[in-house]
Amino acid sequence: MKIHEYQAREMLDRYGVPVPPAHLATGADEAAAAFERLAADGATLAVVKAQVHAGGRGKGGGVKLVRSADEAREAAQKMLGQPLVTPQTGPEGVPVEKVLVAAGVDIQKEYYVGMAIDRGQGRPVVIASAEGGVEIEQVARERPEAVIRMPIDPEAGLRPHQARFIAFRLGFAGKQVSAAGRILSRLCALFLENDASLAEINPLVVTTADDENPDGRVVAIDAKINFDDNALFRREAFAAMADLQEQQGGEARAEEHGLSYIKLDGDIGCLVNGAGLAMATMDLIKLHGREPANFLDVGGSATEEAVTEAFKIILEDPAVRGVLVNIFGGIARCDTIANAIVNAAREVGFTVPLVVRLEGTNVEAARGILEKAGDGIPTMQIGRDLTDAARKITSAIA
Ligand code: GDP
Ligand code: MN
């Protein structure tokens, strides 16, 4: 699960990481008012930031420095209600419903600090680089030596000497060493205590020195936190932070119905039970020269309603040119799937070719249901086995 920058900043703040004050706005006047509030506390510079679940906003016009309430209003006006296209969103972009108006800082230098799970090592890892502000993946590719990776003990967390070591390696000096070390420790605690799968501050900045802070301050000005979906059952409070609107429409609806659905780039919609079978089905589609439009595992205990919803989600995707159903009935029963096919045909209609391969529990009953409904589903063909089904669907849309 992803959360927005403003929510991530609030979490960092709760964990004692210095973050400039900020106010959320859903309208242009509200953004202007937010600037006034920051100005009343002494800010002369602010940043208007589109709140979307995608990075690289700076490059797409989703981060704008402003110096007056009017500028803040204008920047918010331009962002709100418009799709924001960044290198991470795809060409259609994502709609901007909220902007954050944050007190701006004068930046002396930008750093990257983050935490993730290193699956190879089976441990959380601190990732840090003195080359912040840009995408860490790019730094890692082009100059791997510029990225520090330190695996940590999930029980002990980041030990003080490890935090200091990283801070030194990043080139922090003087008072900044302990400031940066503390931020790393707090980030690590936040990551471990909340089942995060990613927690990054990019950039962490040293501000330009002034009379009050001759060494500059070390503050987080952007944050991204993702949580492990498999741990959400014990993080009930986090559900309130989910932005269902922002999750792709179909994915959010699938989640509500207990289906695992992931949209992909191809044109053959798949409805399968079991993650392993779903993967194998996708492989077979590729083997026959096409690409799957989605991964969809209806699971073992899916109801007829949930499977009907699954068909609707698949059929609403304009990229889908054909649908392949591959069910090995075990706990999931073939007749449930057959009924869902009939429902979906009635409620939405299969205007694209449909190939169905069913085996296992209640398969005879399922065949009966489909035969009876056959005339109402003229684009339907039955696959004898998985290979036959893959051939039929790929040649039906060739
Ligand atoms: P992202 O592009 O989505 O990662 O958004 P960020 O919040 O990281 O902002 C992108 C870039 O805008 C940062 O790397 C900074 O260079 C710049 N930026 C953001 N906030 C400030 C600020 O308060 N002051 C200054 N001078 N630059 C900022
Ligand atoms: Mn950033």
Side-chain angles (χ1 to χ4, degrees), residues 45 47 49 55-58 63 65 103-105 107 110 133 202-203 221-222:
L45 173 71
V47 206
K49 313 180 78 177
R57 294 166 303 169
V63 175
L65 292 178
V105 295
I107 299 174
E110 304 191 22
N202 188 23
I221 64 169
D222 186 21

Side-chain angles (χ1 to χ4, degrees), residues 55-59 87-88 107 109-114 127-144 146-147 200-205 221-224:
R57 294 166 303 169
K59 290 185 191 119
Q88 297 182 13
I107 299 174
K109 183 164 169 48
E110 304 191 22
Y111 299 81
Y112 173 97
V113 298
I127 303 165
S129 176
E131 299 184 18
V134 287
E135 267 181 61
I136 193 67
E137 291 84 354
Q138 188 187 336
V139 182
R141 236 181 353 256
E142 290 165 9
R143 303 192 348 91
V147 179
E200 60 176 27
I201 300 174
N202 188 23
L204 179 71
V205 303
I221 64 169
D222 186 21
K224 175 174 174 182

Side-chain angles (χ1 to χ4, degrees), residues 315-329:
L315 292 169
E316 274 167 23
D317 177 355
V320 167
R321 295 181 54 215
V323 178
L324 175 60
V325 175
N326 183 29
I327 298 294
F328 188 79

